[in-house]
Amino acid sequence: MITPLPSPDFLELHYRDDLLILLGRWTRPITLEESRRGYTRMLEAARQHHARFWLLDIRRRPRVDSANVEWLVGSYYPELPLALGGTVYLAYLLAPDLKRELAASGLVPADEAYEGQSFQMGKFTAEQEATAWLQAKQVAEKQL
């Protein structure tokens, strides 16, 4: 079942209890302040549902702000495992152009850079691939 959650107008937020995935879809380009407000709301929702597997759809955001990335990687992501009690898995759904731009710029570390950390990230252009990655991480955790 997909449960819609309260969120700001620039973010659609749902919890998929059938997949144990928190789903956040940014609906338009946003400011740095809106980004922080949206991510704060996602953490609140994740706490409520004990959700450590997130699918973040940023395809409607044509650019990624370096100040936002610095805040996410330096402050926000490291807080997630402490707040949620375990490794947090973030599957980002990107437009193909943005994925290429991020890879070329080096602004966002490669997915492999997060392996073994208390938060892990995957970047995808297809929702099915992103969901499959999250489900594989769930299976891997159960095997530990």
Side-chain angles (χ1 to χ4, degrees):
M1 184 166 121
I2 300 175
T3 305
L5 303 172
S7 58
D9 68 338
F10 51 84
L11 177 66
E12 294 175 1
L13 195 55
H14 299 88
Y15 181 68
R16 293 207 47 186
D17 58 5
D18 59 333
L19 300 175
L20 305 177
I21 292 175
L22 181 69
L23 172 60
R25 291 189 197 279
W26 301 95
T27 60
R28 61 171 171 80
I30 55 171
T31 66
L32 181 59
E33 172 58 34
E34 289 171 329
S35 175
R36 290 182 180 185
R37 206 163 38 123
Y39 278 105
T40 298
R41 177 62 193 115
M42 280 189 271
L43 179 54
E44 291 167 357
R47 280 186 175 131
Q48 177 185 358
H49 293 279
H50 309 286
R52 293 185 299 110
F53 301 87
W54 298 16
L55 177 58
L56 305 164
D57 183 349
I58 65 170
R59 291 177 292 184
R60 293 184 183 143
R61 291 173 51 190
R63 303 199 74 65
V64 174
D65 178 88
S66 62
N68 192 43
V69 171
E70 289 174 18
W71 172 73
L72 286 168
V73 173
S75 299
Y76 183 79
Y77 294 154
E79 290 179 17
L80 296 179
L82 300 173
L84 299 174
T87 302
V88 177
Y89 301 89
L90 309 161
Y92 273 90
L93 191 54
L94 310 166
D97 288 345
L98 181 57
K99 186 175 180 188
R100 281 190 295 275
E101 179 184 323
L102 289 176
S105 72
L107 180 62
V108 177
D111 298 348
E112 299 78 33
Y114 298 101
E115 285 298 322
Q117 292 195 32
S118 56
F119 63 92
Q120 294 184 23
M121 184 185 306
K123 295 182 260 338
F124 306 90
T125 57
E127 190 161 342
Q128 183 177 4
E129 292 172 355
T131 302
W133 182 80
L134 289 169
Q135 290 177 310
K137 295 298 184 180
Q138 291 171 349
V139 169
E141 272 210 352
K142 288 179 185 175
Q143 294 174 349
L144 295 178

